[in-house]
Amino acid sequence: MKLFDILFGRAIDRRIAVYQNDLIAKHCEEVQNVYRTMRGWRHDYHNHIQAMLALTDKPQQLRAYLLKLNSDLTTVDTVIKTGNVMVDAILNSKLSLIQSRQINLHAKAVVPSDLRISEIDLCTVIGNLLDNAMEACLKQERDSERFVRVYIGILKKQLYISVQNSSGQQIKKSGKTYISTKNSESHGFGLKRIDRIVAKYDGYINRQNEEGIFATEVLLPL
């Protein structure tokens, strides 16, 4: 019995280590994407400065250029401001990465600054949901059909989280439980993490699979 316990413990430790390595790899990719975005902004900023310097003796053209620049900046401002700093951090890093993969994205989120739920637990739920959504989209052959829709808000004194994504493959189920299709030793670990956190707060989770769409809804008491 002791030998079984030791081997079983080692197997669990190995799966946790693989899962943590996956998280680190995802985080590194998100950070690199932020750096790429910042380099792009720096390059654009330099070009705009050069253009404005060339128009200093043409005030009307300079004014028109500034108005157009202001309009463009308003259009590209995709930063989500939920009202909760930690949620803003995880949400924006994940959404930025999703957009960099040419996935059509629609997101709206409002989260109270003070929560009964641990912000770490909440970020774990949101992070895993978005990782799963992105990975499902990337398995689709046609870029034009890929999409992720995110909505987070207050519903009947509960925090409501909805994530929908396009899905071009058959979703596996065992009974009422959906099974991860990741080819990794961390197989299904993210789904289980979500389920455990929802259960921890006596919340509610619902997963639905319709033709071409996979949707997850989570309710967490406030």
Side-chain angles (χ1 to χ4, degrees):
M1 187 68 179
K2 260 186 182 179
L3 179 60
F4 173 80
D5 289 343
I6 291 170
L7 292 175
F8 181 74
R10 285 177 180 173
I12 293 296
D13 288 344
R14 186 171 63 250
R15 289 189 63 193
I16 291 172
V18 171
Y19 178 69
Q20 288 175 333
N21 287 339
D22 285 348
L23 289 180
I24 291 169
K26 287 189 180 80
H27 180 64
C28 288
E29 189 177 3
E30 289 160 16
V31 171
Q32 288 171 354
N33 182 64
V34 170
Y35 286 159
R36 282 194 298 270
T37 303
M38 290 173 66
R39 285 196 297 270
W41 285 345
R42 182 180 177 184
H43 178 264
D44 291 344
Y45 181 77
H46 177 75
N47 288 340
H48 291 314
I49 291 293
Q50 295 300 314
M52 286 186 285
L53 286 172
L55 294 173
T56 51
D57 58 342
K58 300 174 182 177
Q60 291 300 322
Q61 292 183 39
L62 179 58
R63 184 175 186 279
Y65 186 89
L66 288 170
L67 288 172
K68 184 178 184 304
L69 180 59
N70 183 63
S71 176
D72 288 345
L73 287 173
T74 302
T75 302
V76 300
D77 184 12
T78 56
V79 174
I80 299 291
K81 298 174 183 175
T82 67
N84 184 291
V85 175
M86 279 193 69
V87 174
D88 286 353
I90 186 71
L91 197 55
N92 282 295
S93 67
K94 297 293 183 185
L95 296 182
S96 176
L97 189 58
I98 288 171
Q99 282 188 312
S100 74
R101 298 298 185 86
Q102 309 304 313
I103 297 171
N104 187 30
L105 175 67
H106 178 76
K108 184 177 181 181
V110 177
V111 179
S113 56
D114 295 321
L115 295 167
R116 171 198 161 199
I117 311 154
S118 158
E119 290 177 326
I120 293 174
D121 285 343
L122 180 56
C123 288
T124 299
V125 170
I126 293 171
N128 276 293
L129 286 174
L130 293 178
D131 283 343
N132 292 340
M134 183 179 71
E135 286 165 12
C137 287
L138 293 176
K139 290 176 182 175
Q140 291 181 268
E141 292 182 3
R142 296 182 181 177
D143 293 356
S144 59
E145 295 179 356
R146 298 173 178 175
F147 69 82
V148 173
R149 300 173 190 146
V150 183
Y151 176 78
I152 304 175
I154 308 302
L155 179 65
K156 296 181 180 179
K157 297 183 180 180
Q158 298 186 88
L159 186 66
Y160 174 71
I161 304 169
S162 170
V163 176
Q164 298 180 351
N165 61 268
S166 54
S167 177
Q169 64 174 172
Q170 186 67 33
I171 306 296
K172 295 181 180 180
K173 287 184 75 174
S174 176
K176 294 183 179 180
T177 304
Y178 285 92
I179 301 172
S180 171
T181 57
K182 297 176 188 176
N183 297 318
S184 166
E185 274 197 82
S186 62
H187 179 82
F189 221 83
L191 293 177
K192 291 176 182 176
R193 287 283 289 148
I194 294 170
D195 292 346
R196 286 170 185 162
I197 290 170
V198 172
K200 175 181 175 180
Y201 294 99
D202 295 322
Y204 168 81
I205 185 165
N206 178 44
R207 296 183 177 97
Q208 293 289 333
N209 177 41
E210 298 178 7
E211 189 174 349
I213 301 177
F214 186 79
T216 305
E217 291 180 306
V218 174
L219 281 168
L220 296 169
L222 291 174

